[in-house]
Amino acid sequence: MGCQKPAWLDALYTQKFFVGCAVHETAKKNEKNVLCLDCCLSICPHCLTMHRFHRLIQIRRYVYHDVIRLEDLEKLIDCSNVQAYTINSAKVIFIKKRPQNRQFKGSGNYCTSCDRSLQEPYIHCSLGCKVDFVLKYNRDLTPYLRVCKTLQLGPDFLYPQDALGDDDMMTNETPHSTIVDSDELMSCSSGSSGCTENMSMVCSDVVRKKRSGLYVCGRIANKGSVSEEDMATSMNRRKRIPHRSPLC
């Protein structure tokens, strides 16, 4: 590879993040905050369905600069001697240089490219500063690159509802939720005593399905049997018009 940078590293510098996605211009939360390493393209959360089998890395924002979690970036390149910062209990690294002009330098560590004051034992304030330093003095970035065949987004990444497939929707349902069909409820009403006991347990709780807006509610008194009339009344019960108390 010599002094050439990998394509994904160039894309990390040149692609724009936290701008509106032209493909999903009318969608909500359409800021580009993900880099597809295989396509070398910045994408928004709505584009994930087309890149779900690619290597993806999330770009974050810290003090108006683009950063990447150290845990994710170390899977791609050696990040030693680059100062990391902590946000939300996670260490991040700045992507681009942050020049800082200083007329006089005091004692301590300073960035090799930006003259920014650093803590011991760091000598680079960003990934870009280290890459430029390595290419300037070693002229070869290959020993610092790491092989990464799979890279997925972290569990804290927020997926839009329309970006989730059918399998993802099922996995994102409320835990311990139960979906009950009204036909199954009616068929069990004429069943055995065991079915009646199960019906009493199911109908005593609120049965709901997350994200669908469908709520099936019912509450059956503790009786020996459940009639079709009681079941239909409980399933179709609506809120009545409130009555005010008479004025004195």
Side-chain angles (χ1 to χ4, degrees), residues 35-248:
L35 176 68
C36 178
L37 302 180
D38 296 330
C39 300
C40 298
L41 185 68
S42 60
I43 60 177
C44 76
H46 301 276
C47 302
L48 292 177
T49 53
M50 297 179 291
H51 302 265
R52 61 185 307 174
F53 299 111
H54 296 175
R55 294 175 300 165
L56 304 173
I57 190 168
Q58 182 180 358
I59 310 300
R60 304 167 190 268
R61 200 74 169 168
Y62 180 61
V63 290
Y64 306 104
H65 290 82
D66 297 336
V67 298
I68 300 180
R69 289 185 62 175
L70 177 61
E71 181 182 0
D72 297 334
L73 195 58
E74 282 187 329
K75 299 176 182 178
L76 302 170
I77 190 172
D78 180 16
C79 298
S80 59
N81 296 327
V82 180
Q83 180 166 320
Y85 300 83
T86 303
I87 59 171
N88 297 331
S89 302
K91 292 185 177 181
V92 298
I93 286 182
F94 286 95
I95 299 176
K96 299 179 181 180
K97 297 181 178 181
R98 297 178 297 148
Q100 187 175 16
N101 295 327
R102 291 178 178 270
Q103 296 181 354
F104 302 98
K105 291 185 179 180
S107 59
N109 281 21
Y110 291 90
C111 179
T112 55
S113 300
C114 300
D115 291 336
R116 182 175 292 273
S117 178
L118 302 175
Q119 300 176 357
E120 295 282 352
Y122 305 108
I123 58 175
H124 310 294
C125 72
S126 67
L127 176 64
C129 293
K130 176 170 182 176
V131 171
D132 290 347
F133 179 83
V134 171
L135 293 179
K136 181 179 180 180
Y137 292 97
N138 297 343
R139 298 184 179 276
D140 189 5
L141 197 61
T142 305
Y144 298 88
L145 298 177
R146 295 173 178 174
V147 178
C148 180
K149 295 183 179 180
T150 59
L151 184 61
Q152 297 298 323
L153 300 176
D156 59 336
F157 186 82
L158 299 179
Y159 291 85
Q161 183 175 353
D162 57 353
L164 296 174
D166 295 336
D167 297 338
D168 297 327
M169 287 290 289
M170 293 300 294
T171 57
N172 282 275
E173 288 183 0
T174 305
H176 308 295
S177 62
T178 308
I179 308 303
V180 181
D181 192 1
S182 59
D183 295 337
E184 296 178 0
L185 293 175
M186 297 301 293
S187 61
C188 286
S189 62
S190 57
S192 60
S193 60
C195 184
T196 304
E197 294 177 359
N198 293 334
M199 284 299 304
S200 300
M201 295 175 61
V202 172
C203 295
S204 61
D205 300 327
V206 176
V207 183
R208 65 182 181 180
K209 181 178 181 181
K210 188 178 180 181
R211 299 181 183 272
S212 63
L214 174 64
Y215 290 86
V216 182
C217 304
R219 189 172 294 276
I220 305 300
N222 294 329
K223 298 180 181 180
S225 62
V226 181
S227 63
E228 294 184 2
E229 182 179 359
D230 293 338
M231 180 63 65
T233 302
S234 63
M235 295 298 295
N236 297 324
R237 183 176 298 166
R238 296 184 178 180
K239 185 177 180 180
R240 300 181 180 179
I241 301 175
H243 297 280
R244 291 186 178 182
S245 58
L247 299 176
C248 299

